[in-house]
Amino acid sequence: MTVRTRIAPSPTGDPHVGTAYVALINYCFAKKNGGKFVLRIEDTDRARSTRESEAAILDSLDWMGLSWDEGPDVGGPHGPYRQSERSEIYREHVKKLLDAGNAFKCFCTPQRLEEMRAAQRASKLPSRYDGLCTSLSAEAIAKNEAQGVPYVVRLKVPAEGVCVVHDMKRGAIEIEWSSVDMQVLMKSDGMPTYHLANVVDDHLMEITHVFRGEEWLSSAPKHLLLYKYFGWEPPQLLHLPLLRNPDKSKLSKRKNPTSILFYKALGYLPDALLNFLGLLCVMPPAGEEMMDLALMTDRFTIEHVSLGGPVFDVAKLDWLNGRYIRERNDLDGFLAKVQAWGLDPVRLRRIAALAQPRIERLSDLGPLLAFFFSGRLDVTAEELRSSKLDDAALRKALQLATWGFDALSSWETGEIEAVLKGVAAAVDVKLRDVTRPFYVAITGSATSVPLYDAIEILGRDIVRERLRHALKVLGGVTSSELKEWQK
RNA sequence: GGCCCCAUCGUCUAGUGGCCUAGGACGCCGCCCUCUCACGGCGGUAACACCGGUUCGACUCCGGUUGGGGCUACCA
């Protein structure tokens, strides 16, 4: 049997370094065993999935040198590779489950479910669907459907016994069926949930090994149950540890840059970033930690995938990136990389347009534009402070802007301006008064090129990082402030 | 709270019962090189979470404790 692995990102945000890490492991295992590596887009969340995100994820994985044998862009024998285009397949499979009595229609309203969970929480019981709709008569179901009452389809779960999940590294894991929820398999909009789609697709796409994040471990019983209901052989499972922040919590963009785009924007080389991720799952040759993809593939073994959640150590990434810059490039190669990174004609033209009206000598460009070619700016609290806002209001403004920017679906000056206007209103000062500290935080100076353009050109990731830094030098935000401002 | 996973220097890790007075790498410190800095070279700092077993012998096996993490959605 041919080994087939997959990476199945959800296009609901920026391409995450964790996705690249999981992809790398799946890639290495497939290639090492002469198999295929498949890319599938899990866009069953209609509200959050976007084509822009999908494109960014594909571009980023490609940028890092991870190529797939089958996927939405290159096609393949098991397509389509985008779940939103496979609705009919899921519908058929849900029908099979329903007909066999392995799933049931649930007409409970979100309100009832919420009340149910609140009651369960109050009495300290595990949160789990109470099974009300499992006892609905055929007539009641028909009546509801005739009236057009929206419903979901839920998985029937054994009342007792244990499910044994075989993890390739952790061995047998026992989970009580009584702790497994009657998961929604098909949402009221007719789209499947991850749980259903992932099982159906992995089977149909003949995936033999599933290496995925540890966050899926506790839902593995649901997946195994589906394989059983369908009469299919489940793939081998291996749950990978989650990448961590320095404080050991799950790597999150709230605390650290997580987007591959950020690392690209800062001038990390794709080979270095990939090598760095490889150090977390491949044992390098003695005395040498530089590895290209071919070497990592060759050396990959699941025995050397460690289970402890690794901290994403930027200092080590920096060291490795430095080595790639100086050891893997002659001067011409280095120059080409510099040009590709910072002297992209389109970007440069936009920047030049901002600078031209504001300079008297070309040599004014350096100080005026340095912030476009920098990572973190070493801005101090003194520089950020303004007479119009006290520290608390200043922090609130920065935090609200961070949230506002994160929520933007499109990154362009109009939207950016709207966020800042909202922030000004929220802290009750004129726009120009709230804007000043943002100039400092983002451009490093209170006098600079237009802010909205600068923000747009710098990109979401660097802006988030600079706002985070500003917040940090101002003493950070307390959790009570966070709660208060969220309103 | 409940369920589950994990546990070697600050960080990434080697180590699969004796080879371990625990090895490497990053970071940090010192020295050398040197017009500065960086690079490079050399040296140093620093860990088996704890408590019980099993064993002639535990970093390695088992149990408990502690700590960390994940899940607990009509998100993935």
Side-chain angles (χ1 to χ4, degrees):
Chain A
M1 190 167 58
T2 310
V3 166
R4 290 173 59 84
T5 65
R6 47 74 163 180
I7 181 72
S10 173
T12 53
D14 290 329
H16 198 281
V17 288
T19 304
Y21 167 68
V22 175
L24 173 62
I25 290 171
N26 278 282
Y27 176 95
C28 287
F29 184 80
K31 296 300 167 181
K32 169 118 188 196
N33 292 288
K36 300 285 189 198
F37 173 56
V38 178
L39 186 142
R40 180 174 74 225
I41 293 295
E42 307 233 336
D43 55 350
T44 55
D45 185 340
R46 278 183 174 161
R48 296 198 305 146
S49 297
T50 65
R51 278 306 171 98
E52 294 75 57
S53 172
E54 179 189 313
I57 291 168
L58 263 57
D59 286 350
S60 294
L61 292 176
D62 181 63
W63 176 71
M64 291 184 67
L66 294 165
S67 56
W68 44 96
D69 300 296
E70 299 168 27
D73 55 339
V74 294
H78 303 278
Y81 292 90
R82 206 175 270 124
Q83 291 184 330
S84 58
E85 296 167 9
R86 299 170 65 83
S87 299
E88 209 36 56
I89 296 170
Y90 307 125
R91 212 179 304 279
E92 287 165 21
H93 285 86
V94 165
K95 186 166 187 311
K96 279 186 198 167
L97 292 172
L98 248 12
D99 290 347
N102 291 324
F104 61 97
K105 292 176 180 172
C106 171
F107 297 89
C108 292
T109 61
Q111 294 85 304
R112 190 189 101 76
L113 294 173
E114 192 149 322
E115 285 162 21
M116 177 193 81
R117 290 194 191 103
Q120 288 168 337
R121 235 175 296 130
S123 45
K124 294 188 175 177
L125 289 165
S127 170
R128 184 170 188 259
Y129 181 64
D130 60 8
L132 181 71
C133 289
T134 53
S135 55
L136 245 35
S137 66
E139 296 77 53
I141 293 171
K143 190 181 161 206
N144 276 334
E145 286 193 88
Q147 289 176 345
V149 180
Y151 66 89
V152 300
V153 175
R154 286 180 185 274
L155 177 70
K156 271 195 191 164
V157 176
E160 50 191 32
V162 297
C163 175
V164 181
V165 177
H166 292 280
D167 181 281
M168 291 171 83
K169 277 197 75 86
R170 295 162 212 259
I173 297 160
E174 297 192 352
I175 297 173
E176 296 272 348
W177 281 119
S178 62
S179 73
V180 177
D181 200 0
M182 296 178 224
Q183 254 297 325
V184 171
L185 299 177
M186 182 166 280
K187 307 178 231 178
S188 55
D189 67 359
M191 290 293 264
T193 58
Y194 168 86
H195 305 285
L196 195 250
N198 123 286
V199 166
V200 170
D201 288 347
D202 282 344
H203 174 74
L204 262 22
M205 294 180 181
E206 298 175 20
I207 301 302
T208 57
H209 301 260
V210 170
F211 303 148
R212 74 220 302 192
E214 191 182 357
E215 70 227 89
W216 296 111
L217 186 51
S218 53
S219 45
K222 297 164 193 166
H223 306 155
L224 259 14
L225 188 59
L226 283 168
Y227 281 101
K228 188 179 158 204
Y229 285 162
F230 286 124
W232 297 337
E233 183 71 21
Q236 301 261 15
L237 299 178
L238 170 52
H239 293 90
L240 275 6
L242 268 14
L243 266 27
R244 309 288 184 88
N245 294 310
D247 68 2
K248 300 276 191 181
S249 58
K250 173 165 98 166
L251 190 67
S252 66
K253 72 177 177 188
R254 289 268 173 266
K255 297 180 181 174
N256 277 289
T258 57
S259 169
I260 295 170
L261 265 19
F262 172 83
Y263 293 94
K264 185 179 181 183
L266 243 65
Y268 288 94
L269 306 184
D271 292 352
L273 183 56
L274 191 70
N275 190 161
F276 172 73
L277 294 174
L279 253 17
L280 308 179
C281 54
V282 179
M283 188 163 70
E288 180 52 87
E289 297 197 323
M290 276 176 104
M291 296 185 283
D292 61 16
L293 185 56
L295 182 59
M296 289 192 272
T297 300
D298 185 52
R299 297 188 59 86
F300 181 84
T301 61
I302 63 165
E303 284 73 33
H304 279 103
V305 172
S306 42
L307 261 21
V311 171
F312 193 92
D313 182 8
V314 182
K316 186 141 185 179
L317 207 210
D318 286 343
W319 164 78
L320 202 52
N321 201 58
R323 287 195 60 187
Y324 272 86
I325 285 174
R326 72 185 89 91
E327 294 178 28
R328 291 291 164 93
N329 292 283
D330 57 16
L331 190 54
D332 288 324
F334 171 63
L335 188 57
K337 287 197 164 61
V338 171
Q339 284 170 336
W341 172 75
L343 307 180
D344 163 61
V346 176
R347 184 173 190 259
L348 216 46
R349 193 164 197 281
R350 295 195 58 193
I351 293 174
L354 298 177
Q356 191 180 14
R358 295 180 169 76
I359 62 169
E360 294 167 325
R361 294 155 301 196
L362 297 182
S363 59
D364 293 332
L365 286 172
L368 184 66
L369 301 179
F371 77 90
F372 277 119
F373 305 93
S374 304
R376 171 178 294 173
L377 270 19
D378 288 317
V379 168
T380 65
E382 284 318 307
E383 291 165 329
L384 285 162
R385 288 200 172 99
S386 106
S387 55
K388 306 287 182 171
L389 291 166
D390 61 25
D391 271 23
L394 191 48
R395 292 202 308 268
K396 181 175 178 181
L398 290 165
Q399 183 60 62
L400 291 180
T402 300
W403 284 332
F405 288 156
D406 276 345
L408 287 185
S409 55
S410 76
W411 191 255
E412 47 90 20
T413 53
E415 303 272 294
I416 290 161
E417 177 175 19
V419 167
L420 289 173
K421 280 186 168 162
V423 170
V427 296
D428 200 27
V429 294
K430 283 191 290 187
L431 179 62
R432 62 179 304 162
D433 292 328
V434 84
T435 254
R436 188 190 169 283
F438 282 89
Y439 271 99
V440 176
I442 288 162
T443 76
S445 165
T447 51
S448 188
V449 299
L451 182 63
Y452 310 148
D453 294 279
I455 290 175
E456 185 185 316
I457 294 168
L458 281 167
R460 192 170 231 142
D461 301 296
I462 289 186
V463 169
R464 185 191 294 113
E465 178 67 5
R466 289 186 185 174
L467 293 182
R468 189 204 334 275
H469 178 253
L471 233 18
K472 192 179 149 201
V473 301
L474 286 167
V477 177
T478 66
S479 51
S480 60
E481 282 175 332
L482 279 181
K483 221 173 265 176
E484 162 108 25
W485 298 342
Q486 244 152 9
K487 291 173 194 166

